[in-house]
Amino acid sequence: MGGGKPQTPSTSLPKLVARPVGQQIHSIYKERLGQFTSNGQYSSQNLLAAMYEGRASDDEHVKLQVYSPPDLARPTFEEATSHEFKDTHAGASFGPSWSTHWFKIDLKVPRQLQEKERLEFLWDADNEGLIWTEDGEPLQGLTGGGKRRIEWILPDSFHDGKSHRFYIEMACNDIMGNGIGDLIQPPPPNRYFQLKLADIVAVNLEARALFVDFWIIGDAAREFPEDSWEEHQALQICNEIMDTFIAGHGSQDSILRGREIAQKYIGNVDSSKVYESGKEPHVYAIGHCHIDTTWLWPWAETKRKIARSWSNQCDLMDRYPEHRFTCSQAQQYKWLEALYPKLYDRVKSKVKEGTFQPIGGSWVEHDTNLPGGESLVRQFLYGQRYFESRFGERCKTFWLPDTFGYSSQLPQLCRLAGMGRFFTQKLSWNNINTFPHTTFSWVSLDGSQVLCHMAPDETYTAEAHFGDVSRSLSQHKSMDQDNTGLLVFGYGDGGGGPTSEMLEKLRRCRGLSDKTGRLPRVKMGDSVDDYFARLEKKAETGTEFVTWYGELYLELHRGTYTSEANNKWNNRKCEIMLHDIEYLATVASLKNSKYQYPKKAIDDIWEDVLLCQFHDTIPGSSIEVVYRDCDELYAKVFKAGGKLLEGAMSALEFNATATHDSELKAVNTLPWRRAEIAKVPDSKDYALVSGGPGMASVETFSGISKSTASIRELEEGVFQLSNEHFEVTVENGAITSLVDVSEDRELIPKGQKANQLVIFDDKPLYWQGWDVEVYHLDSRQELRPSKSYVVEKGPHMVSLCTETKVSEVSWVKTTISLAASVEGQPSYIEMASEVEWRETMKFLKVEFPVDIRNTEASYETQFGINRRPTHYNTSWDMAKFEVCCHRWADLSEAGYGVSILNDSKYGFATAGNLMRLSLLRAPKAPDRHADMGHHYIRYAILPHAGPLDHRTIRTARNFNHPFKLFHGSSIPNASASLLNSIQLSGSPALVLDTIKRGEDDEDVSRGELPTRKGRSVIVRIYESLGGKARGCICVDGDVLPVTKISKVNLLEDEGEEMRFEDGKCKVELRAFEVATFRLQL
């Protein structure tokens, strides 16, 4: 075909190939990315070499002086700066562990750096510090080592070339305490820290920004699926940035060009406007700083951690408008208020702006297994009142991310404290079963519910990585109901909180989601309450969230029910003491106009007790110094409480200072009549004490009483203890037979032994103070006694003592006692053990095989009962091989049962028909001396014909709560009448748990919240057995002029007015309901 027009090429592709082009080796190009931003052999050639534009550290520009307080003192700013400072220098070392060193720093910016855009002072000693202005204002925390914030942005005023002074308070511990190598090992006392860096630097902000750009895009290349175009594009972008940097010889232009290349993948991420695209987010990020009130450091260091961490967040809020920071624990706010008033005012202003967000509603982030029911109430009462009094609002969300399991009554108590929302994540630590839900309705024993969300990222200390954002959706287990998750980020446990780097990473994650996709879209700027409000809106519009009934049992850290036994004993005794103080002080304040209800003193004691219930304190998972501090605090509490009891009894005209020749008196502070045989103070004699509530009679025995107890030796080493109810045969210290005489029933299976001490090897997988693992049961060994002998022969009490050698360094003396029966009262067999305990990684328990069959056992919990399996049918059943109980555990079948009572023990297990009470552990980390020393332990066997009922509830409480016996003269009738002027009649399942004064009564209020006119009494009642119960609050109007009764919540907000006629108010409670009433005078 000739003569035609030239044909247009069908493609722009050159006809001839210019050169061969190979397929990128994907893995090699991906591995290459690490060269660009990592330390190592290429750091002088990569982006790190461009981070700073200048540096000065010589004495002319950075002059350092130090004052080192003696004796591990932590002086205030005023105290420290009044001392003489001595010259020092970078490279010097400071210590020992837990010491403090104050540095005076005179800083002068050299001329060549004065015009730079950003100047920072870098300080790194691998420990913690706090920057103070010359006039004593705390500015910002410093953290060296791994979880770093070592920079302080110098104020513009410092650019003038003149000398400027500030101070740094150095704490000789790193952010996670003073352990070396293994985090939880006991900290060495002589750790020293080298000051490695004290430099002025000029920051290349574009290089720093490119570093974060590259980090996030590199994560996309590493973590997106290799078969996705997004992964391939990320890898190409990163390699293009590296090639551009190399071609430009690391120049500023190459850095700026690299940032332009990055924008092709992540967009413009240089401001908070990145969150304003209007596209629907799936991940809501909230800054957080979890500060363990104790753990691997003492309270004294926690107080400084708060200042360091929270001052940092205030600084970040000024620089990042999107930053929202949430923090719990009223106690920590109170410490800040007292110790750092200027910083507290700064925090308070941020709270008002809505950027610093109090949360949680409790005094501390407390353990919820071990504290008693009223303690849980007071955690909320004191926490919510503090937040309301300081910030004008109560918390709506209960925040407890790190506690070792969650009580079955928490949803009810949360609702009664004004919170319908709950956040945690700890169940992600389960080491047997995976908890199946992320967002769900958690249901209490009484049917109350809260909306619960567990962070899908399964941490409360996320570092805002690409993977954290991704996992916040990929690990979400409740996507059928909702496809959003909370991302809680910021260094934690030892404090620190979010950093600017984390906030920058989140901006890039959001930009990546909007520009490229595949990564869940993250949003900053909302609160936790905003997040829950959206979930509640979904519930309102028809979404049915799945339900979880009962306790959230953590399948880990089961040893915390037993570790640090003395601390647990102190807690229970304080709870009992506070019950009595409030009851007696209430009555005294109503009787005696000259007596002022000691609210401040009571508040101080409660706050100390609540502090010790922190989730790494009472469980026994802190270092040794923490428990020394606790012992000192408890000693102070018992002393103060003793004075309050004396004051209240004096106001009631109890003359307890009379001679022992005076008549013996008793007070029953429990809400039911009781009778028991008790030992006369400072005497070997016994008396029958009966009566109450209030005054009780004391009848000393003369001769033989109608009911007697006896003991006889059947054959050598075999003894029988008897009373009207039981015949107990003891052989070699163990109970081989226990016969209920009236029922003609043997309770110990043939050939088995109750009250048998057993010891186990106790080496968990890692967390010594926390864990006991299921395999410890395979190492069971019976302890064999050396001798038994009669201690008391009756007729009112019989006792047999058995001595048992545990090892060359440990022994147990156990006294089995049986009192004469008391008409109308249950009888039990009591064991009291004196233990010298010096073991290593052993677990001491006592066993009770019983002739009872049931697939469930019952355990007392706060205001209720948990029923748990006695079998191992499933892995969920087997996971509960060690559980928490309060004053009793019970195994019952139709018609009969056995309860095991205890005084201040919490670990228990029931496997088949074998009941086992945990007594002592011997972990060596984090406290190498945990539980070492002398212990006194009490427990009892309470057999009962018929089902588990009020007899166990009341007897266990009596066992823990003895009569108050004293010698004194006659008690005025007015006092006696007032002591029982409020009673509860009706169903014996109802328990009148607490009597106290109204928080804001005008004669009681401390003025923190508005006062209420008049005087009132608060009573708290709960249903204890698990069924609807009716009763009546009965008031003696002749001595207590109550005008009306209202139902209130735990915070004592007024509710419905009850019908109150002729001194009686009928009440009806559903199963395990907790109800609080105000009796207005």
Side-chain angles (χ1 to χ4, degrees):
M1 296 174 62
K5 294 183 179 179
Q7 294 214 354
T8 303
S10 61
T11 177
S12 60
L13 181 71
K15 180 177 181 180
L16 299 178
V17 69
R19 57 184 174 82
V21 178
Q23 173 74 31
Q24 284 186 357
I25 308 302
H26 204 71
S27 60
I28 291 176
Y29 277 80
K30 187 182 292 188
E31 191 172 349
R32 178 200 185 203
L33 303 186
Q35 295 182 0
F36 191 51
T37 55
S38 62
N39 284 304
Q41 61 181 333
Y42 301 120
S43 59
S44 64
Q45 299 292 312
N46 65 16
L47 185 59
L48 297 183
M51 286 294 187
Y52 300 115
E53 299 172 334
R55 182 182 295 263
S57 59
D58 57 280
D59 290 344
E60 180 184 355
H61 298 100
V62 182
K63 182 181 179 182
L64 303 177
Q65 293 182 295
V66 65
Y67 162 63
S68 298
D71 304 322
L72 304 184
R74 294 177 173 90
T76 65
F77 175 86
E78 290 77 12
E79 292 168 344
T81 54
S82 68
H83 287 270
E84 179 183 356
F85 283 68
K86 298 179 180 179
D87 290 342
T88 190
H89 56 86
S93 293
F94 300 91
S97 308
W98 310 117
S99 62
T100 297
H101 304 268
W102 280 83
F103 292 83
K104 182 191 299 181
I105 301 170
D106 292 305
L107 185 147
K108 183 167 66 173
V109 175
R111 180 173 301 174
Q112 69 271 21
L113 300 183
Q114 291 173 16
E115 300 302 319
K116 298 295 184 180
E117 179 182 1
R118 167 75 68 83
L119 295 180
E120 294 177 352
F121 180 67
L122 303 185
W123 176 274
D124 189 0
D126 284 338
N127 57 20
E128 294 192 273
L130 180 63
I131 299 174
W132 295 77
T133 64
E134 191 173 12
D135 60 356
E137 181 176 353
L139 290 180
Q140 178 202 301
L142 296 164
T143 302
K147 298 180 177 180
R148 292 158 61 93
R149 179 170 180 176
I150 63 169
E151 77 283 356
W152 174 45
I153 300 173
L154 295 182
D156 291 342
S157 60
F158 279 41
H159 291 229
D160 60 3
K162 298 179 181 179
S163 180
H164 296 269
R165 175 171 293 175
F166 59 95
Y167 293 85
I168 292 179
E169 177 189 14
M170 174 193 284
C172 283
N173 52 266
D174 66 32
I175 197 168
M176 298 301 283
N178 265 316
I180 297 177
D182 188 342
L183 176 73
I184 69 168
Q185 292 306 307
N190 291 307
R191 187 179 178 188
Y192 280 75
F193 297 84
Q194 184 182 45
L195 177 57
K196 299 187 293 189
L197 203 60
D199 294 1
I200 304 169
V201 296
V203 181
N204 185 338
L205 293 175
E206 292 295 339
R208 183 177 283 177
L210 180 59
F211 181 93
V212 187
D213 293 345
F214 191 86
W215 186 348
I216 295 301
I217 301 171
D219 279 350
R222 286 180 286 268
E223 298 192 31
F224 276 156
E226 282 198 7
D227 62 357
S228 67
W229 71 266
E230 295 93 344
E231 187 265 358
H232 284 265
Q233 186 181 10
L235 185 59
Q236 298 309 308
I237 291 287
C238 286
N239 277 279
E240 185 180 355
I241 291 171
M242 291 180 70
D243 293 339
T244 300
F245 184 84
I246 292 168
H249 305 290
S251 66
Q252 191 68 8
D253 285 343
S254 71
I255 291 170
L256 293 171
R257 174 60 187 143
R259 294 219 65 209
E260 292 174 3
I261 295 167
Q263 286 187 10
K264 294 189 294 184
Y265 199 80
I266 60 175
N268 187 339
V269 294
D270 288 342
S271 76
S272 60
K273 291 181 180 179
V274 69
Y275 296 107
E276 298 175 5
S277 67
K279 297 180 180 180
E280 182 181 0
H282 296 95
V283 178
Y284 294 84
I286 187 76
H288 180 53
C289 173
H290 183 73
I291 303 178
D292 283 317
T293 301
T294 62
W295 183 29
L296 304 177
W297 48 87
W299 289 316
E301 199 54 48
T302 303
K303 296 169 184 177
R304 302 201 293 187
K305 284 176 175 287
I306 296 162
R308 293 190 286 259
S309 302
W310 294 6
S311 60
N312 286 357
Q313 301 316 306
C314 290
D315 170 63
L316 288 174
M317 290 167 196
D318 292 336
R319 294 157 52 200
Y320 291 88
E322 72 270 28
H323 184 34
R324 299 293 180 271
F325 176 74
T326 194
C327 215
S328 63
Q329 306 196 73
Q331 172 69 86
Q332 295 189 3
Y333 288 83
K334 185 173 182 178
W335 279 336
L336 189 77
E337 182 181 12
L339 301 174
Y340 302 89
K342 292 180 181 178
L343 178 55
Y344 174 80
D345 288 341
R346 191 176 172 196
V347 165
K348 195 168 184 178
S349 69
K350 297 298 183 185
V351 172
K352 189 174 182 179
E353 293 170 8
T355 51
F356 197 114
Q357 298 166 349
I359 199 168
S362 57
W363 190 249
V364 294
E365 287 189 12
H366 55 283
D367 180 87
T368 75
N369 289 315
L370 304 165
E374 192 61 26
S375 287
L376 295 186
V377 169
R378 301 308 174 94
Q379 287 284 352
F380 291 140
L381 178 69
Y382 282 90
Q384 289 285 52
R385 287 178 63 83
Y386 182 89
F387 289 125
E388 183 178 12
S389 65
R390 294 337 190 255
F391 307 119
E393 290 186 7
R394 296 172 178 171
C395 300
K396 299 176 182 177
T397 301
F398 184 32
W399 181 272
L400 209 57
D402 191 32
T403 292
F404 310 150
Y406 301 92
S407 165
S408 52
Q409 285 287 48
L410 276 180
Q412 179 181 188
L413 300 181
C414 283
R415 295 305 293 258
L416 291 171
M419 295 180 287
R421 306 155 176 177
F422 177 52
F423 173 83
T424 186
Q425 63 80 47
K426 195 65 177 182
L427 265 63
S428 67
W429 284 47
N430 279 5
N431 71 346
I432 296 180
N433 299 286
T434 299
F435 191 77
H437 309 305
T438 293
T439 304
F440 59 97
S441 178
W442 181 25
V443 184
S444 195
L445 291 178
D446 78 313
S448 300
Q449 66 175 336
V450 292
L451 191 56
C452 179
H453 180 73
M454 297 188 180
D457 193 33
E458 299 184 348
T459 183
Y460 53 89
T461 58
E463 296 182 23
H465 293 313
F466 177 100
D468 291 315
V469 175
S470 178
R471 287 187 293 272
S472 293
L473 218 56
S474 67
Q475 295 183 167
H476 202 298
K477 302 183 187 75
S478 302
M479 298 278 273
D480 291 344
Q481 290 80 37
D482 182 70
N483 62 351
T484 66
L486 269 178
L487 172 59
V488 181
F489 70 97
Y491 291 131
D493 293 333
T499 63
S500 59
E501 189 175 74
M502 294 178 191
L503 294 167
E504 294 287 353
K505 284 189 289 183
L506 288 174
R507 285 182 176 181
R508 284 151 180 82
C509 286
R510 175 56 184 261
L512 188 158
S513 301
D514 286 345
K515 184 74 174 179
T516 301
R518 187 169 281 270
L519 185 68
R521 190 170 289 109
V522 66
K523 186 179 188 299
M524 286 284 292
D526 283 2
S527 67
V528 173
D529 284 333
D530 292 334
Y531 178 77
F532 274 104
R534 280 186 289 270
L535 294 177
E536 289 173 348
K537 188 68 175 176
K538 292 193 73 171
E540 289 174 12
T541 54
T543 298
E544 289 188 310
F545 290 102
V546 298
T547 53
W548 183 274
Y549 283 76
E551 67 179 327
L552 293 173
Y553 176 87
L554 177 66
E555 296 177 0
L556 201 69
H557 295 356
R558 303 168 185 87
T560 60
Y561 313 145
T562 306
S563 297
E564 302 285 359
N566 186 58
N567 211 49
K568 292 173 170 61
W569 187 93
N570 282 333
N571 175 75
R572 191 177 291 185
K573 298 309 175 187
C574 283
E575 290 175 333
I576 292 169
M577 180 182 70
L578 279 161
H579 170 277
D580 291 352
I581 289 171
E582 290 184 326
Y583 166 58
L584 294 171
T586 295
V587 174
S589 70
L590 300 177
K591 174 189 179 293
N592 190 337
S593 60
K594 295 180 180 180
Y595 176 81
Q596 178 68 38
Y597 187 80
K599 186 164 193 317
K600 182 183 184 305
I602 291 174
D603 288 347
D604 289 344
I605 292 176
W606 263 119
E607 288 177 9
D608 286 342
V609 172
L610 299 177
L611 169 62
C612 293
Q613 292 170 356
F614 178 74
H615 69 253
D616 272 311
T617 310
I618 191 173
S621 50
S622 288
I623 59 175
E624 183 174 1
V625 66
V626 169
Y627 296 105
R628 292 205 302 265
D629 290 347
C630 284
D631 288 345
E632 292 178 7
L633 188 62
Y634 278 126
K636 185 189 82 170
V637 162
F638 284 125
K639 182 177 180 180
K643 289 182 178 178
L644 293 183
L645 285 170
E646 289 176 10
M649 294 183 75
S650 176
L652 291 168
E653 299 181 64
F654 284 70
N655 181 10
T657 59
T659 66
H660 286 186
D661 295 331
S662 302
E663 186 179 355
L664 196 60
K665 303 291 183 180
V667 177
N668 173 17
T669 56
L670 291 179
W672 44 71
R673 187 188 184 281
R674 54 193 283 209
E676 59 194 53
I677 294 174
K679 201 160 195 175
V680 176
D682 303 317
S683 169
K684 295 182 179 180
D685 296 332
Y686 288 89
L688 176 64
V689 186
S690 61
M695 294 306 303
S697 65
V698 182
E699 180 184 351
T700 56
F701 293 112
S702 56
I704 305 299
S705 65
K706 294 180 182 178
S707 173
T708 64
S710 64
I711 186 169
R712 60 193 179 108
E713 189 168 11
L714 303 178
E715 57 184 270
E716 186 176 356
V718 181
F719 299 85
Q720 187 177 78
L721 294 73
S722 304
N723 66 10
E724 286 188 359
H725 288 108
F726 303 118
E727 291 180 353
V728 184
T729 303
V730 180
E731 184 174 353
N732 291 325
I735 298 173
T736 56
S737 173
L738 171 53
V739 176
D740 184 326
V741 175
S742 60
E743 296 291 317
D744 190 23
R745 177 163 182 159
E746 171 65 66
L747 299 176
I748 307 301
K750 186 175 182 180
Q752 298 189 37
K753 296 175 287 186
N755 192 44
Q756 174 64 57
L757 292 171
V758 288
I759 196 164
F760 300 83
D761 190 68
D762 188 15
K763 299 184 182 73
L765 296 175
Y766 177 67
W767 301 96
Q768 281 195 50
W770 295 256
D771 284 350
V772 57
E773 287 296 352
V774 64
Y775 52 76
H776 88 286
L777 296 170
D778 301 332
S779 65
R780 175 186 178 274
Q781 289 184 315
E782 292 186 4
L783 294 177
R784 302 190 181 280
S786 58
K787 61 179 178 179
S788 297
Y789 48 90
V790 175
V791 177
E792 293 185 273
K793 297 182 179 180
H796 313 301
M797 181 74 68
V798 292
S799 300
L800 177 72
C801 182
T802 299
E803 297 183 5
T804 303
K805 183 178 179 180
V806 179
S807 69
E808 293 302 317
V809 292
S810 301
W811 50 263
V812 182
K813 288 182 181 179
T814 299
T815 301
I816 303 176
S817 299
L818 184 65
S821 302
V822 177
E823 185 177 356
Q825 299 293 310
S827 186
Y828 54 79
I829 302 92
E830 177 176 346
M831 277 65 69
S833 294
E834 181 184 359
V835 185
E836 180 66 19
W837 185 246
R838 301 287 176 184
E839 296 304 294
T840 296
M841 301 178 194
K842 299 295 181 182
F843 202 151
L844 181 67
K845 304 187 183 188
V846 61
E847 294 180 340
F848 306 93
V850 293
D851 190 17
I852 303 288
R853 293 288 173 184
N854 200 323
T855 56
E856 285 186 332
S858 300
Y859 304 85
E860 186 186 38
T861 188
Q862 302 94 344
F863 301 126
I865 299 171
N866 286 327
R867 293 182 171 88
R868 301 180 176 114
T870 61
H871 54 76
Y872 298 154
N873 283 1
T874 70
S875 59
W876 291 89
D877 300 325
M878 190 171 181
K880 295 179 180 179
F881 62 84
E882 181 86 2
V883 298
C884 183
C885 75
H886 279 232
R887 288 169 289 234
W888 57 265
D890 182 86
L891 184 63
S892 292
E893 62 187 21
Y896 207 93
V898 174
S899 300
I900 304 298
L901 317 181
N902 76 80
D903 178 359
S904 307
K905 294 297 172 186
Y906 295 89
F908 208 93
T910 306
N913 69 332
L914 180 63
M915 307 176 77
R916 188 186 291 122
L917 177 66
S918 296
L919 302 180
L920 292 168
R921 298 186 68 224
K924 299 304 173 186
D927 176 2
R928 66 164 47 92
H929 298 117
D931 285 322
M932 296 298 97
H934 219 64
H935 299 267
Y936 295 91
I937 302 170
R938 293 174 64 239
Y939 49 93
I941 308 172
L942 174 66
H944 55 86
L948 169 66
D949 61 18
H950 69 280
R951 292 169 296 173
T952 291
I953 305 293
R954 294 184 177 186
T955 306
R957 195 137 180 177
N958 295 348
F959 187 73
N960 280 266
H961 211 133
F963 281 103
K964 294 186 180 303
L965 274 70
F966 60 95
H967 291 273
S969 55
S970 60
I971 308 302
N973 289 335
S975 295
S977 298
L978 269 171
L979 283 168
N980 63 4
S981 60
I982 301 171
Q983 295 195 41
L984 185 62
S985 64
S987 169
L990 294 176
V991 176
L992 200 171
D993 190 68
T994 298
I995 295 177
K996 63 183 286 290
R997 288 297 305 275
E999 289 291 313
D1000 296 307
D1001 288 358
E1002 57 188 356
D1003 65 325
V1004 168
S1005 171
R1006 298 173 62 190
E1008 295 176 327
L1009 291 170
T1011 59
R1012 298 183 74 262
K1013 289 185 178 181
R1015 298 182 298 169
S1016 68
V1017 176
I1018 300 295
V1019 299
R1020 196 157 4 261
I1021 300 167
Y1022 73 96
E1023 196 287 318
S1024 63
L1025 293 173
K1028 183 177 289 187
R1030 296 183 178 93
C1032 183
I1033 301 172
C1034 303
V1035 180
D1036 184 347
D1038 292 335
V1039 294
L1040 198 65
V1042 172
T1043 59
K1044 72 172 184 176
I1045 297 180
S1046 302
K1047 196 170 187 179
V1048 298
N1049 61 15
L1050 300 185
L1051 308 182
E1052 301 180 14
D1053 298 328
E1054 203 73 10
E1056 65 171 311
E1057 184 173 343
M1058 307 293 290
R1059 186 174 180 178
F1060 178 55
E1061 293 179 346
D1062 301 324
K1064 295 182 178 180
C1065 173
K1066 293 182 179 179
V1067 296
E1068 179 179 287
L1069 274 65
R1070 61 185 176 271
F1072 297 125
E1073 181 182 0
V1074 180
T1076 308
F1077 300 90
R1078 183 193 308 280
L1079 281 57
Q1080 188 68 44
L1081 275 64

